[in-house]
Amino acid sequence: MQLIGQILHLLITPALWQTTLESGVLLLLPALGGVISERSGVVNIAMEGMMLTGAFAAVAVAEVTGNPWISTLVAIAAGGLMAVIHAVVSIRFRADQIISGVAINIFAFGITAFLNSKITNFQGFNPVKPSAQLPYLHIPILDKIPFFGPIFFDQNIIVYVGLFLLVAVQFMLFRTRLGLRIRAVGEHPQAADTAGINVYSIRYGSVIASGLLSGLAGAFLAIGITNVFNDGMTDGRGYIALAAMIFGKWTPIGSFVACLIFGLGTSIVANNSTLNVSRDLLSMLPYILTLVVLAGLVGKSIPPAADGQPYTPGSE
Amino acid sequence: MAAPQAPTKPAKPGETSMPVIWAKQLGRLIGAPIGSVIFAFIIGAIIVLITGGDPIQAYQGLFCGGIGLFCTGDLYSSITPALEISSTIVFATPLIFTGLAVALPFRAGLFNIGAQGQLTMGAIAAAAVGIHYASWPGFILLPAVLIVGTLAGAAWGGIVGVLKAFTGAHEVVTTIMLNYIAAFFLYYLLRGGPMQLAGQPEISANVGAGAQLPHFLNGNGQLFGQPIGVYQAHTGILIAFAVAVLFYILLKRTALGYEIRAVGQNQRAARYAGISVKRTLIITMLIAGAFAGLAGGVEIAGLSHQLTIRYATDSTGFDAIAVALLGANAAIGIILAAFLFAALRVAGPVMQGNANVSQNLVDIIQAVILFSIAANFLRTFKIRLPALRQTPPGEDAPMVATTVTELEDTEPSEPAEVGDTA
Amino acid sequence: MKRSRLQFVVIGALLLLLVPALAACGSGGNSSSGPKVKVGLVTDTGGLNDKGFNHLAYVGLQNAMHDFSNVVGSVKESKSDADYIPNLQGFASQGYNLVIAVGFLMAQAVATVAKQYPNVHFAIIDSTPSDANGNSLTLPNVEPLLFHEQEAGALVGVIAGMLEKGGTTKLKKNTISAVGGVSIPPVDKYIAGYKWAAQMEDPGVNVLVGYSQDFSDPTKCKAVANSQIGLGSDIVFQVAGGCGLGALQAADTAGVYSIGVDTDQKADAQNVIASAVKRVEVATYLAIKDVVNGHFQGANEPAFTLQNGGVGFAPGNITLSSDITAEVTKVENAIKAGTLTPPTQRSW
């Protein structure tokens, strides 16, 4: 009984939901990138590496410029650069996209850790100054609303950006001409080509978009949620985003729901000081939940038909 | 369009003797991987140069630290080559098992990111038996430890297969989830949980003496100037070779192997041929999990003799993906790739310790090897070994890719394909 | 087209291999006076740039290399605990004079390797070597570098307790907290001293303790700190190395106070009121110095305490009132004199 009371108390703690939303949006950004990329037919398991590159770039640039906006832009570009490699290798060279993705992840870990050691002579970067961090917005008056105020109106600026991007990408994919083209290229590239759509351009653009979004997530992680760079600091979040994307059946909204589940898991673990349960056992919850939901409710995950297949004009 | 073929004279079949053909086939098989490795080392050298290091010193360190070659000069003459070779064997052992655990599902069109979690569960089960029944004699305890580890891994892999077969749940998601569940379960056991050694978080007690695989070198004396105890290479590598042979036989000489490959090529065609796709997927994941679980068991029995959080934090199960891909999902390729990755892993700290070049250079090199294997840059730049010249058009497709591109081969038009229960 | 590309690549590759070879010819070996003392440092999985004790140990090594021209230092970073034994053996097998292991978690690995190499000196930070059953061992060639973290924790605990008692803190729920990494003795001793001293000053104070189960990922410590702040914690003591930077940041964001650990962290966050300092760099330096001077202490090495300056506290960014500083000095002197003894065991 006491445990149930503790759980109920935990559920009405604003901090729980505040962290849930923050962690959820951190996963949402690369997941949105994955959705765009895979909808165009390019498998992307490299969000992890793109995010990590973004995180490194953000901290390195913040150290030099002290400006969060420049740092974020560079981080976005750095994620995009990694995506260009993935795009060239998998579109131009028609390489296996999973191998390329695995390679990007290893490469990103290696190059960021290598440069981190080299630039700072094994000392690591100093924590980023508050003025160079992405700010938390305390929206006046609204943030005083009980319970909901802290959750929705006392968040990092990137949380709002992420929610905006969620709506924008959902709209773009399913309500615009561009979205139709992306989906056509991912479902049936030959037909799209016949219809006059440039398959390569669409795919390049989509993969690079995934890199930009992942780079933004890296900046959010390194100079928003935290203020440091550690080797390998993304710590598998890119893979969780990948799982969220598949869980969400390659849709932005669905992915967001999955991201929130993982975010809630993170948050419950962080807020369990009132619960007398092993932190490590609690940490298993979101993953078990996902497995159960996946097995019982969501069922078969069907990727875009041409996902993972390099396009060769005239083939078929 | 594909690059135009090299305009060398086609050889007339009748004029070519069998050894030449074999040599050419061998060249075709290993040409791309070797070329990729060389390409990666060149890129690595450029990065070291740009960042103000000395690539010669760095690479001398990698050769010396990995395979005991070129241990000379001020920097490296103090290294004992035999010790480095021993360490490379130690690190190659689990990579062979897990590389096979990734490769087999690849052949069936499944992407097993979960070798890590399967290894974790194998190690947990093996250690639990080895500790709980520590007093049992070795001829019972050692097989028990290895078998239980194998079974635990198989069970963990089997979950993936069952979910894939009966609900269509994507194996990439399920394996990632199962990795995390296994990792946190291990953390729980070793941080305040039932397997933690008193007062020592993150490690357990030792398994019984009977649960330990013998080392190749035993005794109390000195060998190559070092105490014999430091040579940790253990007989687990022989088990790894045996499993690799098993993998080969399974794939090439059994009906099940044929079914696995058929399912990997095209599920629909396999079904028309009378193969049960569901059964094949489940069995594939069971076997793959068994391989990875055995890796955990062998590591407990041969190396660590205790459970530690390395079985979740070490990246063996992820490196295995790269090993399987570099090894072209074939047994001999995986063994070679595992030794390459192990050598690099062992050599990294030697290079950093003695030449002050960050050991993360090793990750960069590994990644570039994969890139160039995947993209087959070599073909595009038309650097060809003589043996590669006569590759007929259409046969020089990326050798690895063919097995993997079928990965997402699920047809939306047939939603009931694997979802229908018998 | 084809040929020119091929030539380009081949020539480029050759050039790349030649340039460093030529460069290497020009550089000579560096001369040093006296017999070389080779010192190897093996980090735990946090790595050199962990902004915690691995980093401090490296600083100590660098300082020693600066002061003693015959000291040659090298570092190996451990990617997982599977690397501990090979990395330690790597240095020992090369005839290093001193091999320093950073961290409690290497206790068994150090014992294993030290027994294999009885003629090599070892030092281990935060622990004694231990056997397979977890019992601590006394080995003649291993110098344990132990700290009385509880004494440093007590000093910052005095500050936290006094601030709470004074009622000048933000949330006014009479609650303070600590964010630990993993529950290992060096972490728990800090927190034990902190809790003990805070409750000595303000018996009613509520002390929350949480563990992030991590020493490097700042998001984890930030989340734990946020949850504690949500429960009313006015002062967050981070005891989690690089992970704990997230806790300091959480305190800044929420406008509550924070306390740094291991090194002076006032530059890392605005609201740092003090740092509990553990001079790992000094201990490392002294261990090296002992070997250089031939005075290796082995198991006789005394622990680093307030009394000998091995632990202490550093002021933060907020000026403390004179009665608080006076109380800190009083407690400090009492601990040094032995009239006050902070606990070392966890009581939470």
Side-chain angles (χ1 to χ4, degrees):
Chain A
M1 272 332 280
Q2 201 192 352
L3 184 66
I4 294 172
Q6 286 172 342
I7 292 172
L8 286 178
H9 181 261
L10 185 59
L11 290 180
I12 56 161
T13 311
L16 178 80
W17 300 103
Q18 207 176 5
T19 308
T20 299
L21 186 58
E22 181 178 89
S23 319
V25 170
L26 177 62
L27 297 171
L28 171 67
L29 292 168
L32 285 179
V35 169
I36 298 174
S37 173
E38 301 220 353
R39 280 282 175 175
S40 82
V42 181
V43 167
N44 192 347
I45 63 167
M47 281 92 83
E48 173 84 3
M50 297 170 184
M51 217 173 144
L52 186 60
T53 317
F56 174 79
V59 171
V61 175
E63 181 106 341
V64 177
T65 65
N67 182 312
W69 312 114
I70 296 173
S71 309
T72 304
L73 285 178
V74 175
I76 292 171
L81 193 67
M82 280 289 160
V84 169
I85 299 177
H86 184 53
V88 170
V89 169
S90 47
I91 301 170
R92 160 76 178 80
F93 289 94
R94 299 189 192 97
D96 187 275
Q97 296 159 8
I98 287 177
I99 308 184
S100 172
V102 170
I104 294 264
N105 290 340
I106 300 176
F107 182 74
F109 176 85
I111 194 81
T112 54
F114 184 85
L115 291 177
N116 190 19
S117 309
K118 199 76 204 176
I119 294 173
T120 66
N121 193 23
F122 294 105
Q123 308 282 328
F125 288 104
N126 292 320
V128 171
K129 297 268 171 299
S131 61
Q133 293 173 24
L134 290 163
Y136 279 76
L137 300 184
H138 312 282
I139 296 171
I141 305 167
L142 290 178
D143 69 342
K144 295 289 181 289
I145 301 171
F147 190 69
F148 295 103
I151 299 170
F152 293 107
F153 304 109
D154 191 4
Q155 288 280 8
N156 194 288
I157 184 166
I158 302 298
V159 170
Y160 305 106
V161 173
L163 294 175
F164 170 77
L165 286 171
L166 167 67
V167 177
V169 172
Q170 178 82 22
F171 182 81
M172 185 275 288
L173 270 180
F174 297 102
R175 291 280 184 278
T176 68
R177 214 180 165 74
L178 177 63
L180 184 64
R181 290 181 171 186
I182 292 175
R183 288 183 290 130
V185 166
E187 289 292 341
H188 208 307
Q190 282 78 13
D193 198 356
T194 312
I197 299 172
N198 187 330
V199 174
Y200 290 137
S201 309
I202 294 282
R203 286 193 169 175
Y204 269 106
S206 300
V207 174
I208 291 170
S210 76
L212 302 176
L213 285 162
S214 304
L216 175 62
F220 181 32
L221 174 64
I223 64 170
I225 297 178
T226 72
N227 54 4
V228 290
F229 178 79
N230 290 320
D231 296 343
M233 77 182 292
T234 41
D235 198 24
R237 288 183 179 86
Y239 285 102
I240 297 285
L242 176 74
M245 175 196 75
I246 298 173
F247 187 102
K249 296 194 164 179
W250 287 266
T251 66
I253 299 288
S255 305
F256 184 50
V257 171
C259 291
L260 286 177
I261 294 177
F262 291 119
L264 179 61
T266 309
S267 190
I268 286 179
V269 172
N271 285 285
N272 82 331
S273 46
T274 47
L275 261 57
N276 194 17
V277 182
S278 157
R279 193 186 162 81
D280 292 317
L281 282 181
L282 265 186
S283 298
M284 292 160 62
L285 271 183
Y287 307 108
I288 294 175
L289 183 66
T290 304
L291 213 53
V292 170
V293 173
L294 201 64
L297 302 179
V298 176
K300 193 168 167 58
S301 311
I302 302 164
D307 205 10
Q309 293 166 9
Y311 178 58
T312 312
S315 70
E316 176 81 343
Chain B
M1 290 310 299
Q5 294 307 310
T8 40
K9 278 186 218 162
K12 287 175 192 153
E15 293 172 4
T16 318
S17 61
M18 285 310 283
V20 174
I21 292 176
W22 288 338
K24 282 173 183 166
Q25 282 180 341
L26 185 69
R28 193 149 66 219
L29 197 66
I30 65 172
I34 288 182
S36 300
V37 171
I38 294 171
F39 178 70
F41 272 71
I42 293 174
I43 298 284
I46 293 172
I47 291 174
V48 174
L49 263 185
I50 291 173
T51 52
D54 181 341
I56 298 280
Q57 282 182 2
Y59 285 164
Q60 191 188 349
L62 290 187
F63 275 101
C64 170
I67 52 177
L69 288 180
F70 313 124
C71 295
T72 56
D74 279 356
L75 287 179
Y76 298 110
S77 55
S78 56
I79 304 272
T80 305
L83 178 56
E84 300 306 321
I85 294 168
S86 161
S87 296
T88 296
I89 294 171
V90 167
F91 279 98
T93 305
L95 281 176
I96 294 173
F97 287 112
T98 50
L100 296 170
V102 175
L104 191 72
F106 264 147
R107 288 297 185 91
L110 292 169
F111 186 19
N112 180 17
I113 307 187
Q116 182 77 36
Q118 293 145 19
L119 179 150
T120 306
M121 295 310 283
I124 291 173
V129 170
I131 294 166
H132 198 255
Y133 301 104
S135 56
W136 282 10
F139 69 92
I140 301 174
L141 186 56
L142 181 58
V145 161
L146 297 180
I147 289 169
V148 167
T150 307
L151 292 178
W156 215 240
I159 295 174
V160 177
V162 168
L163 288 178
K164 176 80 178 179
F166 289 106
T167 72
H170 201 292
E171 76 278 5
V172 166
V173 190
T174 52
T175 49
I176 292 175
M177 297 305 110
L178 287 168
N179 283 347
Y180 278 99
I181 294 168
F184 282 115
F185 184 52
L186 175 68
Y187 295 154
Y188 159 72
L189 291 175
L190 292 180
R191 290 174 179 163
M195 291 185 77
Q196 185 197 314
L197 185 59
Q200 295 266 349
E202 309 195 349
I203 49 181
S204 76
N206 272 14
V207 295
Q212 301 183 3
L213 274 170
H215 287 194
F216 284 112
L217 302 170
N218 300 292
N220 294 318
Q222 299 261 321
L223 190 68
F224 304 115
Q226 307 297 339
I228 285 178
V230 305
Y231 300 104
Q232 292 194 298
H234 55 85
T235 42
I237 190 80
L238 302 179
I239 303 178
F241 289 152
V243 170
V245 171
L246 197 70
F247 173 92
Y248 176 83
I249 295 171
L250 171 72
L251 265 184
K252 293 288 164 71
R253 298 272 184 275
T254 67
L256 177 62
Y258 167 75
E259 290 172 6
I260 289 173
R261 285 181 289 141
V263 169
Q265 294 287 327
N266 187 328
Q267 287 192 2
R268 197 177 343 191
R271 196 172 306 108
Y272 287 141
I275 296 169
S276 164
V277 173
K278 276 191 227 171
R279 180 176 156 272
T280 308
L281 292 176
I282 294 172
I283 292 179
T284 303
M285 283 311 301
L286 278 172
I287 298 173
F291 288 163
L294 182 55
V298 165
E299 288 288 279
I300 293 285
L303 184 66
S304 70
H305 305 317
Q306 65 185 168
L307 195 62
T308 82
I309 63 162
R310 80 176 65 168
Y311 291 103
T313 58
D314 211 3
S315 59
T316 307
F318 293 103
D319 295 343
I321 298 169
V323 165
L325 296 171
L326 179 59
N329 297 322
I332 182 72
I334 287 167
I335 290 175
L336 293 174
F339 271 97
L340 174 68
F341 271 55
L344 286 170
R345 159 90 187 246
V346 173
V350 171
M351 177 180 70
Q352 178 166 328
N354 293 40
N356 206 30
V357 175
S358 165
Q359 66 195 47
N360 297 112
L361 180 66
V362 165
D363 300 294
I364 298 174
I365 290 174
Q366 290 176 350
V368 178
I369 291 173
L370 279 181
F371 273 132
S372 72
I373 288 263
N376 212 347
F377 291 133
L378 302 167
R379 182 185 56 171
T380 312
F381 288 131
K382 299 192 210 70
I383 304 171
R384 284 157 178 269
L385 297 172
L388 285 173
R389 285 241 172 91
Q390 284 146 357
T391 311
E395 259 189 54
D396 63 348
M399 46 195 300
V400 179
T402 47
T403 55
V404 192
T405 41
E406 304 290 335
L407 209 68
E408 311 286 352
D409 187 28
T410 39
E411 300 97 324
S413 53
E414 269 191 288
E417 153 192 20
V418 281
D420 55 343
T421 44
Chain C
M1 172 69 180
K2 171 193 157 203
R3 173 146 301 173
S4 65
R5 242 187 198 166
L6 177 64
Q7 282 171 342
F8 172 78
V9 173
V10 170
I11 292 171
L14 286 176
L15 278 178
L16 277 170
L17 295 172
L18 273 178
V19 169
L22 294 173
C25 293
S27 63
N30 53 336
S31 56
S32 59
S33 61
K36 271 188 188 174
V37 175
K38 287 163 82 177
V39 179
L41 183 75
V42 178
T43 77
D44 78 354
T45 55
L48 268 186
N49 43 32
D50 69 340
K51 301 170 187 74
F53 67 170
N54 287 306
H55 166 72
L56 290 173
Y58 185 51
V59 170
L61 173 61
Q62 286 178 315
N63 290 344
M65 287 164 71
H66 181 263
D67 290 358
F68 308 108
S69 62
N70 57 334
V71 169
V72 185
S74 307
V75 180
K76 290 181 197 271
E77 293 177 274
S78 305
K79 289 198 160 190
S80 84
D81 63 47
D83 295 326
Y84 292 161
I85 287 181
N87 281 347
L88 293 167
Q89 285 172 341
F91 282 130
S93 68
Q94 292 185 59
Y96 272 62
N97 304 82
L98 174 64
V99 181
I100 302 169
V102 187
F104 176 84
L105 298 172
M106 270 191 258
Q108 284 190 357
V110 165
T112 303
V113 180
K115 284 180 191 161
Q116 290 168 339
Y117 291 95
N119 299 323
V120 175
H121 300 306
F122 291 84
I124 173 166
I125 289 164
D126 279 351
S127 181
T128 53
S130 70
D131 68 9
N133 297 321
N135 303 317
S136 76
L137 296 174
T138 304
L139 297 175
N141 61 331
V142 181
E143 190 167 286
L145 304 174
L146 297 167
F147 299 83
H148 286 190
E149 289 92 350
Q150 69 275 16
E151 298 176 358
L155 297 187
V156 295
V158 168
I159 298 172
M162 292 285 284
L163 283 172
E164 282 298 314
K165 194 169 64 176
T168 56
T169 50
K170 187 180 175 189
L171 303 176
K172 308 214 172 5
K173 286 192 177 172
N174 207 19
T175 301
I176 63 173
S177 65
V179 179
V182 175
S183 176
I184 53 175
V187 168
D188 289 342
K189 285 196 288 183
Y190 266 127
I191 300 175
Y194 171 72
K195 182 179 180 186
W196 168 82
Q199 289 180 336
M200 179 173 72
E201 300 300 334
D202 179 5
V205 72
N206 182 19
V207 184
L208 304 171
V209 179
Y211 293 93
S212 65
Q213 302 292 40
D214 197 288
F215 284 108
S216 56
D217 181 353
T219 63
K220 292 186 178 149
C221 284
K222 182 179 182 181
V224 174
N226 271 335
S227 121
Q228 293 173 339
I229 294 165
L231 294 170
S233 172
D234 289 309
I235 302 168
V236 179
F237 179 27
Q238 83 99 338
V239 196
C243 172
L245 290 172
L248 301 185
Q249 196 198 15
D252 270 12
T253 307
V256 302
Y257 293 141
S258 60
I259 298 172
V261 79
D262 288 346
T263 182
D264 181 358
Q265 295 199 300
K266 67 170 176 287
D268 294 342
Q270 292 170 315
N271 291 356
V272 172
I273 51 170
S275 300
V277 173
K278 166 169 143 184
R279 298 198 169 84
V280 172
E281 75 282 15
V282 172
T284 311
Y285 179 92
L286 291 176
I288 298 170
K289 189 181 169 191
D290 284 350
V291 172
V292 170
N293 296 335
H295 295 190
F296 184 74
Q297 301 288 314
N300 298 324
E301 176 73 12
F304 293 87
T305 63
L306 263 187
Q307 175 65 36
N308 62 21
V311 301
F313 95 103
N317 298 319
I318 284 120
T319 311
L320 300 171
S321 66
S322 55
D323 56 330
I324 294 182
T325 50
E327 178 69 12
V328 171
T329 310
K330 198 181 104 193
V331 172
E332 183 174 359
N333 288 331
I335 293 173
K336 282 180 180 172
T339 52
L340 276 179
T341 309
T344 58
Q345 301 296 320
R346 59 183 284 185
S347 58
W348 53 92

